[in-house]
Amino acid sequence: MRSRSAALPLFAVLSWGVMFPVLASALTRVDALNLTTARYVLATAVLVALLLAREGVTALTTQRRGVEVLLLGALGFAGFNTLTNLALGHAAPQQIALFAATVPVVTQLVRWARDGVRPRPAMLGLSLVALVGVGLVITRGRLDGLGEFGLGGLLMVGAVLGWAFYTHGATRFPEWSPLRYTALTAVAGTIAMLAASAAADLTGVQHAPHAADLVAVAPQLAYAVLVAAVIAVLAWNTGVRRLGAADAALFMNLVPVTTFAVQILRGYRPGAVELVGAGLTVAALVAANLVTRTPARRATTATPVPAVVVDRPAVVEPVAVVGR
């Protein structure tokens, strides 16, 4: 039974790992913001339909928490996915995937800042090691390569922070099902994306895609919507419920591995330093997640003590990535 449950987050992260190269190829025809908007208009329609079928019309109410849902949707869906797609225009998919894999660790830091739940010192040290690994991949071990961090890296820092706040926000809705939280925040995020996309088109920052452009990227959109944004998200949320957030988060480390594999199959040849950096990042993130799986438990033979907050990542979708 547990192996079947593990197949769910495994499917999700493999789908997200493939998604980065898929989206990068679509950006040659459609601007990043318009691509993100088109993707989530379609994905949100599917999610809302599923929510109505499973939980009824009453599940569409926000229970007077509309502002909070709007902010979380804007940070998670609009912020993460838009910034990720923009970053793909300035950095390679394998670099973006490494940033996305740091979401569970960054979520711990967000919990520390917002709830005072201090991460273990070992996890903070491993987080630094993971960032060093990302740096090696981006710069290929050369000091003069620091300039390659550039705009793409900065955009991904914002994307990861946005998704970490969104993921942390999921813990504030324990009475909602994963489907309800995902669908309602997706609606809010899509509204924000539609407004931003319309403003960008009207001001000339980007150009509305022609019908021929949308037809040309239809296969990429179909994958990004149905596989990465609907099936994978629901598989991930179900896996988190069955395995627990800490165990499921371990699978996130396969996202950059999958992206690297796809890029290699497409003809990319990573250098030795790049492979070392990727391996260092993945190893550090796996170790950091293992640290969160062993919370200290205090037992007493007298009176029971109140349950303490366990320092575990509450991961929903990294694409997001991914975008995501």
Side-chain angles (χ1 to χ4, degrees):
M1 180 64 180
R2 189 171 180 81
S3 61
R4 292 181 182 178
S5 298
L8 295 169
L10 177 61
F11 170 81
V13 299
L14 292 178
S15 301
W16 295 329
V18 172
M19 182 182 61
F20 288 112
V22 169
L23 289 177
S25 67
L27 289 172
T28 60
R29 297 294 298 265
V30 181
D31 290 322
L33 188 52
N34 280 324
L35 181 64
T36 307
T37 302
R39 179 190 174 204
Y40 271 95
V41 165
L42 298 172
T44 299
V46 176
L47 288 168
V48 169
L50 289 173
L51 181 62
L52 287 172
R54 293 201 60 178
E55 301 184 30
V57 178
T58 56
L60 293 177
T61 61
T62 60
Q63 297 175 328
R64 298 183 180 179
R65 303 180 71 177
V67 174
E68 188 175 8
V69 169
L70 181 61
L71 289 174
L72 289 170
L75 280 174
F77 283 95
F80 179 84
N81 290 285
T82 301
L83 291 175
T84 296
N85 281 349
L86 288 171
L88 282 168
H90 301 276
Q94 61 270 21
Q95 296 173 354
I96 300 303
L98 279 173
F99 276 101
T102 65
V103 167
V105 172
V106 175
T107 302
Q108 298 296 297
L109 301 180
V110 170
R111 291 188 68 194
W112 186 11
R114 297 195 64 183
D115 299 337
V117 181
R118 183 187 296 271
R120 299 183 183 185
M123 202 207 74
L124 292 177
L126 290 167
S127 302
L128 180 61
V129 173
L131 292 177
V132 170
V134 172
L136 287 175
V137 172
I138 293 175
T139 65
R140 295 176 176 84
R142 298 170 52 187
L143 292 178
D144 59 356
L146 288 173
E148 295 185 24
F149 181 84
L151 183 58
L154 291 175
L155 288 169
M156 279 310 298
V157 169
V160 169
L161 284 173
W163 193 260
F165 275 100
Y166 172 78
T167 296
H168 176 270
T171 63
R172 299 170 59 85
F173 294 80
E175 71 280 7
W176 288 13
S177 69
L179 175 59
R180 185 179 184 184
Y181 179 74
T182 303
L184 292 186
T185 51
V187 169
T190 300
I191 291 173
M193 282 184 273
L194 281 169
S197 188
D201 288 338
L202 291 173
T203 57
V205 174
Q206 64 177 17
H207 303 285
H210 298 292
D213 294 322
L214 293 176
V215 171
V217 300
Q220 293 97 316
L221 267 179
Y223 179 87
V225 171
L226 296 177
V227 179
V230 176
I231 299 175
V233 174
L234 294 177
W236 177 261
N237 287 337
T238 304
V240 169
R241 281 290 179 93
R242 294 182 181 180
L243 297 175
D247 286 352
L250 288 171
F251 290 90
M252 284 292 296
N253 304 295
L254 293 176
V255 171
V257 176
T258 304
T259 302
F260 263 87
V262 171
Q263 289 296 86
I264 290 172
L265 289 174
R266 297 178 66 194
Y268 178 75
R269 294 294 176 262
V273 174
E274 200 171 356
L275 290 174
V276 169
L280 189 65
T281 298
V282 172
L285 294 172
V286 169
N289 280 304
L290 287 173
V291 167
T292 66
R293 292 175 62 193
T294 57
R297 298 179 181 274
R298 297 181 179 179
T300 177
T301 56
T303 57
V305 296
V308 296
V309 177
V310 179
D311 186 20
R312 295 180 178 176
V315 183
V316 184
E317 180 200 5
V319 174
V321 14
V322 163
R324 206 181 296 293

